[in-house]
Amino acid sequence: MTFPSPSTVLVIIFTIIVSPTIAIVVAQSLKSYRKKRNPMFPPGPMGWPLVGSFFSFYKPRPLSSLGGFMEQNLSRYGKVFSMNLFGEMMVVSADVELNRYVMQNEMRLFRNNLPAHIHRLIGDFALVMLIGDVYRHKKAIIVPFINMFRQQADFVRYIEHLAKGLMASSNKGGIIYVREFATKFSFYVVAKKAMGLTPEDPEAEQLLRDYVTFYKGLYAAPINFPGSMYRKALKARPNIIKAIKKKLDQRKAKESVDEEDDDLLGSLMKESTYTWENICDTILGFIFGGVATTSTAICLVFYLLENYPKALEEMRKEHLECMRSKKENGEEKLTWDDYKNMRFTQNVISETLRIGNVAPNLWKKATKDVEFKGYFIPEGTTVVAHLAAVHLNPSVFENPGQFNPWRWDTKDVKKANNLLPFGGGVRHCVGSELARVEISILLHYLILNYDWESVVPDHPVSAALVTFPKDLPIRVRAVDYSL
Ligand code: HEM
């Protein structure tokens, strides 16, 4: 038997292994070179006639799943692709760099693109609707106002008191509907700071009902027919504005300013250029921003903790430990900063927001032609920054569908950069810290005073909003875990 000479072996190896590898590398670099020189509009499906991919994009899906539409297109076209919605070609991005670029260039290259039916509900003057100097001026009032919360010990006490009162009043024979409870809780937290409204206020219950109708319609299909959710929301809007205007008029009629008037309404009233319509829209938008989002996060945290008892146990330990060390230092009550600095609790909230995707995507319109990473996005194109797809990316988050608060234990820049539940850039959520602290205060009261379990299985469904088909009924049992 004759063996090939060493030179023949080398030729064989080169032919079988090395040359195809070189060919692939060259082809890849040529592709990326061509993409750089000739940026292209991302390819994607055209969907159905007239509606395009509307129904596939909004098809309800289980929590922590992106659904068939996203999964198929991500695997076929990659992280950036296009879709057709009612004849308009949009760019859908699951690419964290593109999403960050879009958010960071808000008002330079992109701007909020809320459809006309949402604009009609939110009004002309809410912060989300504004751009340019008018936006900056209003934001300069709202941000310092929110930053003051951390110094206000009485506000933390108010949230604790609210959690306790609402847990008692929502308890019907040992059963609490978490959706209803969480909506009330987040509404009264934000409405107090917006315009001094508390549950004892005679207008409070009706206003809360109108808000629920309002936000359900805002997330529903924009069908303006008698009985439709959208039509009901359109009717709720003037009621909300009327209630805010009443507060405004009462405040104007007062001879002196009380301490309770230290709210957003009070700050906006100092602006002589703001009309009453402007003030009422701002308050409406501020309360809306804090209710649908935070209440959903609260439902999700109840649901997830029941399913992951180890996380609940570790969180309980952290709260007891924090109280113990406060007591040793002669301090009685937990403060805003104590809550914010509870590491494991904040990890639970981060993980809930990652897996739950309360705000699954942001819609931004390019105001100029944009080129990014070889893609061409023409002026006027809407980019759907898909935050849920970033949060569920398996190459960043191992087992992305698993609730694992411990994944945030170690400082990992990559993971941190891929967590965007509150958006980013100039429009980063103004209520992000308030949301975290109010959820922490509620959890503190809940986990030290109650055990709970589901009455019937009720699993969250994600679409435009995360919903619980049965409003998440739980059975609660009072237990004293405190020191
Ligand atoms: C878990 C709770 C929350 C989530 C997930 C959330 C999410 C977001 C996101 C993603 C944005 C960015 C929108 C964009 O870029 O177009 C945003 C903006 C905003 N949020 Fe939140 N939010 C939450 C709680 C709150 C609370 C408690 C308030 C009120 C106190 C609030 C008020 C606002 C307002 C007024 C804006 C508009 C900011 C602007 O246009 O500059 N949010 N929120």
Side-chain angles (χ1 to χ4, degrees):
M1 190 168 159
T2 55
F3 290 100
S5 67
S7 57
T8 317
V9 171
L10 273 179
V11 169
I12 292 171
I13 291 176
F14 189 82
T15 319
I16 296 177
I17 302 172
V18 182
S19 58
T21 314
I22 292 176
I24 291 168
V25 171
V26 169
Q28 289 288 357
S29 0
L30 262 176
K31 202 170 149 194
S32 85
Y33 173 74
R34 266 199 223 109
K35 224 164 134 189
K36 265 186 210 144
R37 289 206 54 200
N38 302 309
M40 52 158 194
F41 189 74
M46 285 306 291
W48 295 91
L50 292 175
V51 292
S53 298
F54 180 80
F55 293 107
S56 326
F57 186 77
Y58 281 113
K59 192 169 173 201
R61 54 194 189 277
L63 188 77
S64 78
S65 141
L66 285 176
F69 175 78
M70 281 303 289
E71 276 160 14
Q72 280 152 24
N73 289 305
L74 286 174
S75 83
R76 181 157 178 209
Y77 301 104
K79 282 188 185 163
V80 181
F81 62 88
S82 57
M83 74 168 170
N84 163 17
L85 280 198
F86 296 105
E88 188 184 335
M89 288 311 290
M90 300 182 176
V91 171
V92 182
S93 164
D95 183 311
V96 71
E97 286 167 23
L98 176 55
N99 291 352
R100 282 190 170 277
Y101 182 77
V102 168
M103 291 188 288
Q104 271 151 12
N105 283 290
E106 170 102 31
M107 290 183 217
R108 263 176 295 179
L109 300 176
F110 294 90
R111 66 173 167 76
N112 254 356
N113 185 25
L114 295 174
H117 72 277
I118 292 195
H119 184 161
R120 201 170 155 199
L121 279 177
I122 295 271
D124 291 337
F125 303 101
L127 192 63
V128 278
M129 298 310 310
L130 304 180
I131 51 169
D133 287 345
V134 193
Y135 170 80
R136 278 185 279 276
H137 185 258
K138 192 167 281 178
K139 189 131 183 188
I141 299 171
I142 295 179
V143 171
F145 167 76
I146 290 201
N147 287 343
M148 272 166 21
F149 296 175
R150 62 165 61 214
Q151 267 97 49
Q152 297 170 337
D154 58 335
F155 186 44
V156 173
R157 298 293 87 82
Y158 171 78
I159 302 177
E160 283 168 1
H161 175 74
L162 194 62
K164 203 170 167 181
L166 288 177
M167 278 298 283
S169 65
S170 310
N171 187 334
K172 309 269 182 305
I175 311 276
I176 289 181
Y177 283 84
V178 181
R179 167 57 81 186
E180 190 190 323
F181 163 80
T183 306
K184 279 189 186 168
F185 176 74
S186 41
F187 172 77
Y188 286 122
V189 169
V190 75
K192 165 92 170 112
K193 274 297 157 193
M195 55 177 186
L197 188 102
T198 63
E200 292 74 39
D201 201 302
E203 323 281 326
E205 283 215 5
Q206 184 54 45
L207 188 56
L208 170 63
R209 269 197 294 276
D210 285 326
Y211 250 103
V212 173
T213 312
F214 176 82
Y215 87 65
K216 282 189 177 161
L218 202 134
Y219 286 105
I223 304 165
N224 190 357
F225 279 162
S228 72
M229 305 257 267
Y230 181 63
R231 169 75 65 94
K232 286 182 188 162
L234 282 174
K235 284 193 176 156
R237 178 182 151 87
N239 298 343
I240 298 172
I241 296 291
K242 208 166 131 195
I244 302 171
K245 170 97 174 16
K246 194 169 164 191
K247 281 265 171 207
L248 176 69
D249 291 340
Q250 284 168 350
R251 214 51 87 74
K252 275 188 186 157
K254 267 183 166 179
E255 282 178 1
S256 60
V257 178
D258 297 341
E259 233 178 70
E260 294 100 70
D261 299 343
D262 181 19
D263 51 24
L264 184 58
L265 181 61
S267 305
L268 294 168
M269 283 173 69
K270 288 182 199 142
E271 288 303 310
S272 56
T273 52
Y274 285 179
T275 60
W276 72 263
E277 289 93 338
N278 186 336
I279 295 177
C280 290
D281 272 5
T282 311
I283 301 276
L284 176 144
F286 183 78
I287 298 180
F288 164 72
V291 178
T293 47
T294 316
S295 63
T296 306
I298 292 172
C299 292
L300 286 163
V301 90
F302 269 72
Y303 170 81
L304 291 164
L305 286 176
E306 192 207 333
N307 287 290
Y308 294 88
K310 269 194 167 172
L312 176 60
E313 212 176 287
E314 179 144 353
M315 204 165 65
R316 208 170 254 146
K317 252 198 280 168
E318 181 177 65
H319 282 253
L320 286 170
E321 195 47 56
C322 186
M323 280 173 66
R324 190 169 296 124
S325 75
K326 289 285 282 190
K327 273 204 175 150
E328 277 168 16
N329 294 331
E331 293 167 46
E332 266 290 293
K333 298 275 188 184
L334 300 187
T335 64
W336 181 280
D337 286 329
D338 291 328
Y339 284 113
K340 230 202 125 205
N341 296 333
M342 282 190 201
R343 243 185 72 192
F344 190 72
T345 303
Q346 294 314 315
N347 289 351
V348 165
I349 296 174
S350 298
E351 185 66 350
T352 302
L353 294 173
R354 182 191 70 77
I355 211 170
N357 289 302
V358 171
N361 34 61
L362 303 175
W363 303 64
K364 309 278 176 183
K365 197 182 261 285
T367 50
K368 293 189 180 130
D369 286 352
V370 175
E371 282 181 29
F372 191 80
K373 279 178 137 184
Y375 292 108
F376 175 62
I377 302 169
E379 180 184 342
T381 307
T382 297
V383 176
V384 184
H386 211 294
L387 306 182
V390 172
H391 293 163
L392 299 173
N393 179 355
S395 62
V396 179
F397 300 105
E398 206 182 318
N399 293 328
Q402 200 186 348
F403 177 72
N404 175 9
W406 291 272
R407 73 170 88 236
W408 300 103
D409 264 357
T410 46
K411 274 211 166 104
D412 179 335
V413 179
K414 193 171 175 199
K415 277 190 212 148
N417 282 341
N418 280 268
L419 184 70
L420 303 160
F422 296 108
V426 275
R427 284 206 190 267
H428 182 269
C429 174
V430 293
S432 59
E433 192 171 319
L434 172 61
R436 279 183 175 276
V437 172
E438 68 174 282
I439 297 172
S440 311
I441 297 175
L442 172 63
L443 286 174
H444 178 74
Y445 177 68
L446 184 79
I447 62 177
L448 297 186
N449 293 285
Y450 290 95
D451 275 339
W452 72 97
E453 61 181 3
S454 315
V455 176
V456 283
D458 190 13
H459 302 294
V461 178
S462 307
L465 189 68
V466 179
T467 53
F468 285 81
K470 296 174 187 136
D471 284 348
L472 196 57
I474 55 164
R475 183 169 290 107
V476 291
R477 193 167 60 91
V479 187
D480 188 2
Y481 282 100
S482 56
L483 296 173

